[in-house]
Amino acid sequence: MLAELAIKNIAIIESVTVSFQKGFTVLTGETGAGKSIIIDSIHLLVGGRGSSDFVRHGADKAEIEGLFLIEGDHPAIAKCSEFGIEIEEGMLLLKRDIYPSGKSVCRVNGKLVTITILREIGRTLVDIHGQHDNQEMLDEKSHLRLLDEFGGKEIYPALNEYQSIYREYVKIKKDLASLNENEQMMAQRLDLLKFQLNEITNAQLKIGEDEQLLTEKKKLTNFEKLFSSLNTTYEALQGEQKGLDWVGLALSNLDEAQTIDEELKEIYSIVSNSYYQLEDIVHTLRDKLDELEYDPNRLNEIENRLNIIHQMKRKYGDSIEAILEYCAKIDDEIEMITNRESHIETLNKKLVSIEKDLLVEANHLTSLRKNAAEKLTEAIHKQLKDLYMDKTVFEVKFFEQDNIEFQPDGIDKIEFYMSTNPGEPLKPLAKIASGGELSRIMLALKTIFSQHQGVTSIIFDEVDTGVSGRVAQAIGEKIYRISVNSQVLSITHLPQVAALCDHHFFIRKEIKEHRTITSIQQLSECERIEEIARMISGSHITTATEEHAKELLDLAHQYKYQHH
């Protein structure tokens, strides 16, 4: 759930911090007080499209920060893991800054992320539903996925099996398309590949060769310094300074001393080991000095060889391993093109076979989806009946296709259709005109799909516009029922809806020092009565409207008690 929201310098909001809780929360207030700005801020926080228009006039930047509490196997956990973001103690902190230039800086748990990543994570946390926004449920492209989500455990195993075969099918099609290119292009491709293969083969590259050459080059380039350092070391130990002889003398005297004082035996042992180690080092240094030889021709050879390797890397890969892998790949491709007809025949046979398997899986998937569609239709009719739309007909329309075309999610093309009045033909969901009807239809769909989407918070932005009376009461009850399984935030102008909430916030707009400022406060029970009375009658509150407000709250408490 969204536990805390901090907004700074967004539109008319200078600074607001609000803590939210589980259950059903409503935001009410006068028109223009800034209710929608709070919802807009949440939308920006989870990756919504932003612009410099959101930045409060005169401010350096706008800031939105939100703390989400998640638990169990919430989809946000897997999504964050995918992007390398750690979640500790089930807390997820999202932050977004928007500058007057329009640029955004986004962070998730302190890690800088792109707006795309923020949006990906945000989708698992918040679902904002407004009356006229372009909801995914109005977009027919999302209907198949929503049906699959509803079908869940019955559909997903079959879909996974289909997609596994589909990936192989796509690869075969791609290989065939490549082999079926025209003769001239194939001949040109073959010439290019043979040239590349020849060039790489002639280079006779060996793994690790470049590192060895660079080491040798370093020695030759610094030959004088290396010789001088080794020679000085050798002379210090074995030359006129007789460093090793002095250590030998020390060892000889310690040998005599340790026979007198046994505590010196350990020191003698250490010096003895050091002497013999130094003696070995002196021999190694002498051999090394004898081997050292400056060869300017060898340095040129190394430079030339490194240049060849560099050219190979520039063309074929960033390492010798990558170049040799590319060489093996083009060798296979040359063989494929050379024996093209044979490969085309083999691939065509494979394609025929895999298409049969794919069609079997696709038809099985269609069958499962049609079963799920029947259950979904029944569930939506039940929801619509609760919302006084019992005459409405809903249907998941499966479109028959003359030519079967395999897609990543099957062969089905579906769309949600509906008729809101008896005798009217079924129309696509997106073409339903009435605002009040659309609100109820979307609420019915949301009630069903909220149980399958795993979203932390669902936000309704004035979805109750255009309704009143018993329909308003039904909408309030429906939103409350959704809040039992998910945190719900709702902007509403309806007293029936506000009465059913668990937490009521009032948004107030006032002018201070010639600037408009929005503030937010949580209402007590007494303050709720006053606010609901205002929603019933407007600014003029009477004893009768206060009594009506109390009655609405009493009825709401009874309903919640019965359905908790």
Side-chain angles (χ1 to χ4, degrees), residues 134-175:
N134 186 19
Q135 275 289 314
E136 64 174 350
M137 287 182 192
L138 291 177
D139 180 6
E140 74 273 7
K141 292 175 187 170
S142 67
H143 292 174
L144 187 64
R145 180 177 57 77
L146 289 168
L147 178 63
D148 287 349
E149 281 182 11
F150 179 79
K153 59 185 180 182
E154 285 83 20
I155 289 176
Y156 282 143
L159 181 60
N160 290 337
E161 185 63 33
Y162 170 87
Q163 287 175 336
S164 174
I165 300 171
Y166 178 79
R167 284 190 288 272
E168 192 179 344
Y169 164 78
V170 169
K171 185 181 181 305
I172 293 171
K173 292 269 284 185
K174 186 180 176 184
D175 290 344

Side-chain angles (χ1 to χ4, degrees), residues 427-438:
K427 293 179 185 175
L429 191 60
K431 299 234 173 111
I432 293 166
S434 161
E437 286 175 336
L438 184 60

Side-chain angles (χ1 to χ4, degrees), residues 477-489:
E477 291 170 1
K478 192 64 65 182
I479 294 176
Y480 171 75
R481 296 275 281 280
I482 295 172
S483 74
V484 173
N485 296 314
S486 302
Q487 181 191 44
V488 171
L489 306 174

Side-chain angles (χ1 to χ4, degrees), residues 55 91 94 189 197 262 303 323 340 465 467 486 515:
V55 183
M91 292 192 290
L94 273 57
R189 176 74 178 158
L197 182 67
E262 289 194 356
E303 291 283 11
I323 295 166
R340 182 166 159 249
T465 302
V467 297
S486 302
R515 292 295 302 271

Side-chain angles (χ1 to χ4, degrees), residues 195-311:
F195 170 80
Q196 292 178 342
L197 182 67
N198 189 51
E199 188 175 33
I200 296 171
T201 305
N202 287 342
Q204 296 183 318
L205 300 171
K206 297 183 183 68
I207 291 174
E209 179 185 4
D210 46 352
E211 286 91 347
Q212 290 173 1
L213 289 169
L214 286 168
T215 302
E216 192 177 350
K217 178 186 172 183
K218 186 179 179 183
K219 288 179 186 176
L220 287 169
T221 307
N222 297 282
F223 177 81
E224 288 186 11
K225 191 185 287 185
L226 179 63
F227 181 84
S228 174
S229 297
L230 288 178
N231 193 55
T232 302
T233 306
Y234 179 78
E235 287 296 325
L237 291 170
Q238 192 66 21
E240 291 181 2
Q241 297 178 49
K242 302 280 186 181
L244 195 59
D245 287 355
W246 285 108
V247 176
L249 180 62
L251 183 65
S252 176
N253 281 279
L254 273 171
D255 187 21
E256 188 175 338
Q258 58 121 6
T259 60
I260 300 167
D261 184 353
E262 289 194 356
E263 289 180 2
L264 296 171
K265 281 188 175 182
E266 188 177 348
I267 295 174
Y268 171 78
S269 176
I270 293 168
V271 175
S272 175
N273 288 335
S274 300
Y275 176 78
Y276 293 117
Q277 283 176 342
L278 285 169
E279 200 171 44
D280 289 341
I281 289 166
V282 165
H283 294 313
T284 303
L285 286 171
R286 187 181 62 228
D287 293 342
K288 197 81 174 172
L289 283 165
D290 290 343
E291 289 169 9
L292 277 179
E293 183 181 355
Y294 181 68
D295 183 355
N297 291 329
R298 176 57 184 159
L299 187 57
N300 288 333
E301 287 173 10
I302 290 171
E303 291 283 11
N304 290 335
R305 185 62 179 163
L306 285 170
N307 186 51
I308 289 169
I309 293 171
H310 174 72
Q311 293 299 324

Side-chain angles (χ1 to χ4, degrees), residues 5 7 9-11 36-55 62-65 94-98 104-106 115 118-119 122 126 128:
L5 178 70
I7 304 167
N9 295 324
I10 293 274
S36 289
I37 298 170
I38 290 170
I39 303 303
D40 288 342
S41 298
I42 297 173
H43 188 239
L44 290 168
L45 182 66
V46 293
R49 187 183 295 277
S51 74
S52 58
D53 295 337
F54 285 103
V55 183
E63 302 173 56
I64 314 120
E65 198 166 12
L94 273 57
K95 188 173 191 303
R96 183 174 180 184
D97 298 340
I98 302 173
S104 285
V105 176
C106 313
I115 192 73
L118 182 70
R119 192 176 297 121
V126 174
I128 299 175

